[in-house]
């Protein structure tokens, strides 16, 4: 579950390398950065539900903190946390 400064988001486009476009639960479209610790261990594709932390100094960018599995994403949807 997200902390105070984190949001649920859905990956809408993979821009290559370690960048993806995400649609956040607050309605904003942000550029998400996949950190090095996740880059080769966790494969992120379009349609995946992720947890993002928007940058303080640039609100249009965010760090990807976690990728939810399909089963966990369906559970979040059934509990009403995400659409």
């Amino acid at each position: 579950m997200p902390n105070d400064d984190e949001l649920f988001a859905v990956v809408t486009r993979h821009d290559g390398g370690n960048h993806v476009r995400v649609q956040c639960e607050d309605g904003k479209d942000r550029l998400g950065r996949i950190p090095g610790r996740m880059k080769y261990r966790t494969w992120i594709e379009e349609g995946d539900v992720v947890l993002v932390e928007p940058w303080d100094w640039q609100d249009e960018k965010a760090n990807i903190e976690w990728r939810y599995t399909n089963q966990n994403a369906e559970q979040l949807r059934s509990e009403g946390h995400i659409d």
Side-chain angles (χ1 to χ4, degrees):
M1 297 306 293
N3 293 334
D4 293 337
D5 54 346
E6 296 174 333
L7 302 167
F8 288 117
V10 177
V11 176
T12 56
R13 189 176 77 208
H14 202 285
D15 287 344
N18 60 342
H19 293 95
V20 292
R21 279 279 167 201
V22 294
Q23 182 67 40
C24 297
E25 66 179 331
D26 62 357
K28 294 185 180 180
D29 185 48
R30 290 185 170 93
L31 178 67
R33 187 185 70 83
I34 303 168
R37 63 182 160 81
M38 290 179 69
K39 190 172 181 182
Y40 298 110
R41 293 183 177 99
T42 306
W43 197 253
I44 296 178
E45 298 177 352
E46 291 180 16
D48 284 347
V49 176
V50 294
L51 191 64
V52 299
E53 182 179 358
W55 291 5
D56 294 335
W57 59 95
Q58 285 183 311
D59 193 44
E60 68 274 0
K61 295 182 181 179
N63 287 332
I64 306 291
E65 297 295 326
W66 187 260
R67 180 186 64 87
Y68 290 96
T69 63
N70 289 339
Q71 182 179 3
N72 289 343
E74 288 303 318
Q75 183 175 355
L76 288 170
R77 285 187 179 98
S78 68
E79 293 174 358
H81 296 291
I82 57 175
D83 295 331

